[in-house]
Structure formats: C-alpha cells, structure tokens
Amino acid sequence: MRKIVIAGNWKMYKTQAESEDFLRGFLPALDATPDEREVVLCVPFTDLSALSKNLHGSRVQLGAQNIHWEEFGAYTGEISGPMLAEIGVRYVVVGHSERRQYFGETDETVNLRLKAAQRFGLTPILCVGETKQQRDAGETESLITNQIKTDLVDVNQENLVIAYEPIWAIGTGDTCECKEANRVTGLIRSLLSNPDVPIQYGGSVKPNLIDEIMAEPEIDGVLVGGASLEPASFARIVNYQ
Ligand SMILES: O=C[C@H](O)COP(=O)(O)O
C-alpha cells in the first residue's frame, strides 16, 4: 500500500520565532489527522534545530530543502547529510525547480544529491516538472521521462518520494487540472521499478482544492508552498476529506 505524504515547503520564509508561532497554531489540528498520513515540514536551515526540539513527540517529520552530496568539505553555503541527520531531519527536497532555475541545479547534481540523502538515511523528495513553454510545445512527457530516468540513475526506489510540480503552476494560482495531474503522475509511476513510491502533486495547492486533488487515484500526497505558511490553511490540507 502506498504511503500518503503531505509536505509543506516553506522556501525562504519564516524566522525561528515565526516558525514556533506556526507550530502553536498547527499542531493541535493534527489530532484530527488520520494516522496513516505522513506530515512533513521542509523549512529553512535556520529553523531546523528549533523545530526539531519543538516537534519532538509530535507526528510531524522534519524536512530540509537541500543537501550536498559530500559528507563534508570546502563547499561554502552548502549543507551535508550528517549535519541534517544529526538534528533529526528525515526528508529533504531535491531538484526543486527554483534550485534548477536560479542556482544551476542539473539532473546530474540532482542525482548526486538524491544518492547522498539516501546514504545518510534521509528520504529525498525529488521534484520534476515542465515549464509552460515545454507544455505548449507538447514536450511534457519527454521532459518528465528524461528527468525521471536521469535523476534516478542508481537511486534506491525503496526510500524515495517524487513530486510532480509543473513549473507554470508554482506560486501562480494556476493549479494543474486534477485529471491532468493524475495523468502525468501515472506516467511517472510507469517509469519506476517500484510502483509503491509515493508521488505527490505540487503547484498552487490550496485548501479549497485539496479534496479533489487527493481523490485522484495516482496522487499520493501534495507538496505545498504558499498554503503551508499559515497554520489553518495547512491544517485543512493535511486533514483533507
Ligand atoms: O514546493 C512547493 C511548490 O513549489 C509549490 O509552491 P506553491 O504551493 O506556492 O505553488
């Protein structure tokens, strides 16, 4: 049976104080969340230690937003697997389109980061997705196929989450139509050797859409940006019907 994984990606939002405020509003709502749903918060590096302490004993898993492939070294601005694992991080977002677009992330470095995450006991959330231009040119299937095949070379599919995030849907309010998100998610699954890898949808997921999104058979969760920043909004998403 495939796991349901609901993850918030805070991107570059929230100081430590703000993250602690968020938890005060959010954690009580989890009393209503079915046990089998995995709830993850992928937060800025500076929030990880504080949240690690505050989440102790709660069911929320901690996630980071990047990981370097080396264990240590002269890589200014990067973070390693042991540094994340030591403070209780369990998940890490890898290959988000914002990393690919603004920070030169390539399929090759994404592949290295995925393998490093698994080597240090973390579950990577691999993000893939096409631009509007690629979609309009009919390249969605070939782009996604190429990303999945290249990113997953020698990656263990037993400890992995994939997020389908069409780039044109991220932060735009232009959510991908549910049936289409389901179709592409199904395409991704057909490319995997392990059919039980949880595959999320991400891109302008909002509380009013979550029930419809999660009713799609191929979609095993969501990766939520903006709507994960506010406790009531993320609580509604986590507690979808
Ligand atoms: O990682 C999350 C995605 O980039 C989606 O962000 P969004 O929900 O703000 O569109």
Side-chain angles (χ1 to χ4, degrees), residues 9 11 96 165 169-171 203-205 223-226:
N9 174 15
K11 308 192 179 185
H96 192 283
E165 294 212 317
I170 295 177
S204 295
V205 172
L223 182 58
V224 187

Side-chain angles (χ1 to χ4, degrees), residues 131-151:
T131 62
K132 177 86 170 71
Q133 200 180 17
Q134 288 162 333
R135 172 159 284 264
D136 290 347
E139 294 168 2
T140 300
E141 289 75 10
S142 58
L143 184 281
I144 298 284
T145 301
N146 186 56
Q147 280 187 327
I148 290 288
K149 290 200 163 158
T150 315
D151 294 353

Side-chain angles (χ1 to χ4, degrees), residues 195-239:
D196 291 333
V197 172
I199 306 179
Q200 304 171 309
Y201 167 75
S204 295
V205 172
K206 303 294 175 206
N208 62 320
L209 301 171
I210 189 66
D211 299 342
E212 198 186 339
I213 293 169
M214 289 308 298
E216 293 297 336
E218 293 289 351
I219 298 179
D220 306 320
V222 282
L223 182 58
V224 187
S228 72
L229 292 170
E230 202 270 310
S233 151
F234 195 46
R236 173 64 184 88
I237 288 171
V238 165
N239 292 333

Side-chain angles (χ1 to χ4, degrees), residues 104-136:
E105 199 77 71
T106 64
D107 287 317
E108 287 67 33
T109 55
V110 166
N111 174 259
L112 291 171
R113 292 183 203 272
L114 290 171
K115 289 186 287 194
Q118 294 182 331
R119 201 160 64 243
F120 296 110
L122 308 180
T123 301
I125 301 176
L126 165 65
C127 301
V128 296
E130 79 288 358
T131 62
K132 177 86 170 71
Q133 200 180 17
Q134 288 162 333
R135 172 159 284 264
D136 290 347

Side-chain angles (χ1 to χ4, degrees), residues 148-218:
I148 290 288
K149 290 200 163 158
T150 315
D151 294 353
L152 291 185
V153 171
D154 295 330
V155 170
N156 175 3
Q157 295 188 11
E158 295 302 319
N159 181 26
L160 174 70
V161 174
I162 296 175
Y164 169 53
E165 294 212 317
I167 295 170
W168 47 271
I170 295 177
T172 58
D174 191 10
T175 317
C176 183
E177 205 269 318
C178 291
K179 296 273 174 257
E180 176 59 7
N182 188 64
R183 185 187 73 82
V184 180
T185 306
L187 164 72
I188 293 171
R189 196 175 310 285
S190 73
L191 300 168
L192 302 176
S193 56
N194 176 12
D196 291 333
V197 172
I199 306 179
Q200 304 171 309
Y201 167 75
S204 295
V205 172
K206 303 294 175 206
N208 62 320
L209 301 171
I210 189 66
D211 299 342
E212 198 186 339
I213 293 169
M214 289 308 298
E216 293 297 336
E218 293 289 351

